[in-house]
């Protein structure tokens, strides 16, 4: 039996069910959230460092890999209430350099100090269709499509969906995120396809499908939902498979009357390669929902200083989204600060960028300089 026909009976959850589920998750977070102490050597400096993390295990894996790479030791210290987290932070002030607390508005109100940063969990990016070359990097990416003779087809054939899921989506997700991958099941993919809300845009090199993307047509604007490259093979990336995903999706959607395209979620750490890739095609970004990570510096360490210097972030302050970069000296010149700010990707959606310093005496994050993004110097 055809997979789509087999799933004709499936119905998407009602808005009421989804609302009840979200409220239940929030209430559970208020009652208890998992907490860990994570030890290792910071990835950019190889200096020893410990962090306190409170939140979801999958997001914990992402943050831990960002800080330590693939090698670290984790100790689960139990499930803690939101009120117990305040005491936990105080208890580990001298044993951990950084506390990362996952949460939403109430966590920010109760746990975020004036010197802490609140980093959105995800940024959603949008771009006008069709995509056009805006800089040398995007020109090179788009030329690679033509140079390698890439084309595309649009399909909902069940065998091609299965091939995409097993041989493109899963390898790409596991290759990039490893133990921090949020994997969608094949059934979850089939449901919107069966209801006519989703289609697969397949990237072809000759007769071989080397990449693809699932497009949610019922979103406003349509959303690039799940991307993949066959076997996560670097040869296909180099041939322009991901550039083709963005370019061909934008052409396809523009031809069907859509002026905008949702590029899906991206992490808010500005050194993230996917965020930079989307930025070069002119994407603008905004936080997805109210969830994020509170970054709370507890004590100075060379490892934490190096992590902050090498990982600029987008952070929220009220309704604004701003950039944050760090310098490793307490009294840099204004020219040095402006040069550091100018080196950060100019992300549309951030209204300003600030330079910070991690104090060696107090262990706190200190703001040194701030510039509106329109005044930034590269």
């Amino acid at each position: 039996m055809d997979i789509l026909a087999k799933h004709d009976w499936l119905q998407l959850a009602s808005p009421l069910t989804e609302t009840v589920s979200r409220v239940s998750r929030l209430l559970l977070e208020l009652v208890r959230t998992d907490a860990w102490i994570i030890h290792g050597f910071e990835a950019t400096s190889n200096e020893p460092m410990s962090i306190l993390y409170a939140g979801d295990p999958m997001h914990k894996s992402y943050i831990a890999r960002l800080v330590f790479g693939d090698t670290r030791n984790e100790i689960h210290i139990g499930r803690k209430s939101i009120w117990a987290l305040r005491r936990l932070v105080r208890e580990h002030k001298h044993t951990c350099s950084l506390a990362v607390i996952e949460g939403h508005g109430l966590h920010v109100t109760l746990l975020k100090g004036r010197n802490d940063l609140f980093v959105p969990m995800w940024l959603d990016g949008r771009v006008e269709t069709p995509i056009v070359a805006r800089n040398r990097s995007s020109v090179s990416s788009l030329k690679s499509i033509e140079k390698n003779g890439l084309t595309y087809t649009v399909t909902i054939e069940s065998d091609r969906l299965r091939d995409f899921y097993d041989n493109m989506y899963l390898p790409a997700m596991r290759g990039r995120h490893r133990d921090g991958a949020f994997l969608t099941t094949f059934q979850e993919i089939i449901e919107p396809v069966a209801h006519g809300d989703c289609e697969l845009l397949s990237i072809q090199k000759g007769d071989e499908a080397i990449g693809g993307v699932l497009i949610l047509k019922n979103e406003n604007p349509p959303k690039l939902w799940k991307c993949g490259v066959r076997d996560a093979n670097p040869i296909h990336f180099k041939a322009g498979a991901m550039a083709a995903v963005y370019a061909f999706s934008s052409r396809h959607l523009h031809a069907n009357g859509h002026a905008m395209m949702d590029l899906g979620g991206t992490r808010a750490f500005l050194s993230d390669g996917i965020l930079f890739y989307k930025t070069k095609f002119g994407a603008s970004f905004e936080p997805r929902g109210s969830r994020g990570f509170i970054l709370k510096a507890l004590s100075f360490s060379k490892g934490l200083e190096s992590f902050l210097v090498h990982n600029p972030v987008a952070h929220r302050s009220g309704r604004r989204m701003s950039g944050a970069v760090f310098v490793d000296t307490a009294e840099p010149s204004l020219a040095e600060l402006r040069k550091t700010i100018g080196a950060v990707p100019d992300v549309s959606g951030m209204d300003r960028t600030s330079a910070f310093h991690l104090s060696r005496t107090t262990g706190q994050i200190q703001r040194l300089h701030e510039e509106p993004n329109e005044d930034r110097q590269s």
Side-chain angles (χ1 to χ4, degrees):
M1 179 184 294
D2 185 271
I3 293 177
L4 300 185
K6 183 179 178 181
H7 288 80
D8 279 347
W9 58 271
L10 289 171
Q11 298 294 325
L12 297 177
S14 68
L16 177 59
T17 302
E18 293 174 356
T19 300
V20 170
S21 178
R22 285 197 297 270
V23 171
S24 298
R25 287 197 301 270
L26 291 176
L27 290 175
L28 286 173
E29 286 178 6
L30 293 181
V31 177
R32 289 286 186 268
T33 187
D34 287 292
W36 292 264
I37 302 296
I38 309 173
H39 308 279
F41 293 92
E42 193 274 328
T44 59
S45 64
N46 205 36
E47 292 284 348
M49 180 178 166
S50 298
I51 67 174
L52 167 66
Y53 186 91
D56 183 89
M58 299 295 281
H59 293 299
K60 179 264 299 176
S61 294
Y62 167 74
I63 293 294
R65 193 173 68 256
L66 190 67
V67 176
F68 300 109
D70 293 329
T71 304
R72 69 261 184 186
N73 295 313
E74 301 178 0
I75 303 173
H76 185 253
I77 55 175
R79 294 178 61 81
K80 308 294 181 180
S81 71
I82 191 171
W83 296 277
L85 288 177
R86 300 181 68 174
R87 182 175 65 253
L88 196 63
V89 167
R90 291 195 299 270
E91 290 173 354
H92 289 277
K93 181 173 178 60
H94 299 294
T95 58
C96 293
S97 302
L98 177 70
V100 181
I101 302 171
E102 178 187 331
H104 43 79
L106 184 58
H107 293 82
V108 171
T109 300
L110 295 178
L111 299 171
K112 180 181 177 296
R114 61 190 298 268
N115 295 318
D116 304 335
L117 300 179
F118 184 59
V119 179
M121 188 167 292
W122 296 100
L123 301 179
D124 282 327
R126 294 185 174 188
V127 68
E128 293 181 357
T129 65
I131 282 176
V132 296
R134 296 171 177 268
N135 47 54
R136 271 190 293 181
S137 181
S138 59
V139 168
S140 175
S141 294
L142 295 179
K143 280 186 175 180
S144 68
I145 299 172
E146 182 178 354
K147 176 183 176 182
N148 291 288
L150 303 186
T151 59
Y152 75 95
T153 60
V154 178
T155 182
I156 58 170
E157 293 176 11
S158 56
D159 58 341
R160 297 186 67 183
L161 290 167
R162 186 85 239 187
D163 177 55
F164 166 78
Y165 182 80
D166 290 338
N167 301 310
M168 301 179 215
Y169 167 69
L170 290 181
M173 288 293 290
R174 288 168 176 158
R176 173 170 169 78
H177 301 289
R178 300 182 190 179
D179 58 344
F182 289 83
L183 297 176
T184 299
T185 66
F186 187 61
Q187 179 176 310
E188 289 170 325
I189 284 174
I190 285 297
E191 290 181 14
V193 174
H195 287 277
D197 296 329
C198 181
E199 60 192 7
L200 171 65
L201 186 141
S202 179
I203 306 302
Q204 303 289 133
K205 187 174 183 182
D207 294 331
E208 182 186 17
I210 65 169
V213 59
L214 291 169
I215 302 175
L216 290 177
K217 302 184 294 180
N218 62 327
E219 299 283 325
N220 185 23
K223 180 177 183 177
L224 305 192
W225 184 32
K226 306 295 177 184
C227 300
V229 170
R230 184 169 295 280
D231 302 323
N233 191 329
I235 292 175
H236 299 322
F237 283 100
K238 189 174 181 179
M242 283 309 300
V245 161
Y246 294 132
F248 289 152
S249 296
S250 75
R251 293 180 198 175
H252 171 64
L253 292 172
H254 184 76
N256 284 276
H258 300 286
M260 295 289 293
M261 178 173 74
D262 186 335
L263 300 178
T266 306
R267 292 296 191 178
F269 286 84
L270 303 182
S271 55
D272 185 276
I274 292 180
L275 183 142
F276 175 76
Y277 199 83
K278 294 176 179 180
T279 297
K280 73 179 183 179
F281 290 117
S284 60
F285 297 88
E286 62 180 20
R288 178 191 297 174
S290 62
R291 298 186 62 78
F293 305 103
I294 299 171
L295 301 187
K296 182 184 290 290
L298 302 181
S299 59
F300 177 85
S301 72
K302 292 181 179 179
L304 176 57
E305 181 181 62
S306 184
F307 169 72
L308 294 173
V309 167
H310 287 90
N311 290 278
V313 296
H315 70 105
R316 297 184 70 160
S317 179
R319 294 181 178 273
R320 291 184 349 195
M321 185 171 73
S322 307
V325 299
F326 283 78
V327 295
D328 56 7
T329 178
E331 297 182 354
S333 68
L334 179 59
E336 290 172 323
L337 289 172
R338 301 192 76 183
K339 181 178 180 181
T340 301
I341 289 173
V344 175
D346 187 6
V347 176
S348 178
M350 297 191 321
D351 64 351
R352 62 194 64 225
T353 302
S354 299
F356 294 88
H357 172 66
L358 180 66
S359 171
R360 289 174 176 258
T361 54
T362 67
Q364 297 292 299
I365 293 172
Q366 298 177 336
R367 188 192 306 268
L368 300 178
H369 181 66
E370 180 179 83
E371 287 194 358
N373 274 8
E374 60 266 26
D375 295 341
R376 281 176 45 177
Q377 293 182 356
S378 57

